[in-house]
Amino acid sequence: MINIQGIDHLVLRAVNVERMLDFYCNALGCAVERRQDEIGLIQLRAGSSLIDLVPVDGKLGKAGGAAPGSDAKNLDHLCLRVEPFDEQSLRDHLLRHCIEVGPVESRYGAQGEGPSIYLTDPDGNVVELKGPAQSVDVSSQPTASVGH
């Protein structure tokens, strides 16, 4: 049996590495953990996970096909768990980085239902910032019936 603990890493193909580094490091608070420029790989620390950036014009990037864009998405979205989730603080911070943010909505994630917002990185990848699961009274939830 495989016991998944969370996202280990994901790889994003990057058209403009400097803009992507500015977005993920300066706006979202990731840190460059390791670079392997000879193969075109930059690994960013995102909590207990990694976000790998692969320049499309590097050795690894060239092997991945068309660059990300309106006709070649390489990911639907990635979700980063954030805590605390203070909507106004998040909006103020992202606005200082000229990043537009969608409305806060309650969405289900790995740890349950909780607040989240969507934004878009410089290469058009959608990023969800998700807060902690909110307590739910399970006695008020409908129960699922098992049958044929």
Side-chain angles (χ1 to χ4, degrees):
M1 179 174 169
I2 298 174
N3 187 10
I4 304 295
Q5 298 297 307
I7 295 175
D8 180 80
H9 74 278
L10 60 91
V11 180
L12 296 175
R13 299 177 67 242
V15 174
N16 184 320
V17 174
E18 292 310 313
R19 285 181 58 206
M20 293 291 273
L21 284 169
D22 182 56
F23 179 86
Y24 285 99
C25 294
N26 296 331
L28 296 186
C30 295
V32 175
E33 182 161 311
R34 191 169 77 136
R35 290 185 75 120
Q36 293 181 302
D37 293 325
E38 66 281 358
I39 61 170
L41 175 65
I42 303 166
Q43 294 181 293
L44 309 178
R45 175 59 56 187
S48 62
S49 302
L50 293 175
I51 298 172
D52 295 351
L53 300 179
V54 176
V56 296
D57 59 354
K59 184 176 180 179
L60 291 177
K62 288 179 182 175
S70 61
D71 294 331
K73 299 277 185 191
N74 58 347
L75 174 73
D76 178 72
H77 79 276
L78 69 103
C79 180
L80 301 174
R81 173 72 167 74
V82 298
E83 194 167 345
F85 188 94
D86 179 312
E87 178 182 1
Q88 195 57 56
S89 294
L90 287 170
R91 285 187 184 284
D92 292 346
H93 174 77
L94 294 167
L95 183 60
R96 285 192 297 275
H97 290 277
C98 300
I99 298 168
E100 292 184 35
V101 180
V104 170
E105 294 185 25
S106 184
R107 296 182 176 94
Y108 189 80
Q111 297 175 350
E113 191 78 24
S116 79
I117 55 174
Y118 284 151
L119 47 130
T120 304
D121 77 12
D123 278 350
N125 297 298
V126 176
V127 178
E128 178 182 357
L129 300 180
K130 185 158 185 336
Q134 298 166 337
S135 298
V136 175
D137 180 3
V138 293
S139 65
S140 66
Q141 298 297 309
T143 57
S145 60
V146 178
H148 299 286

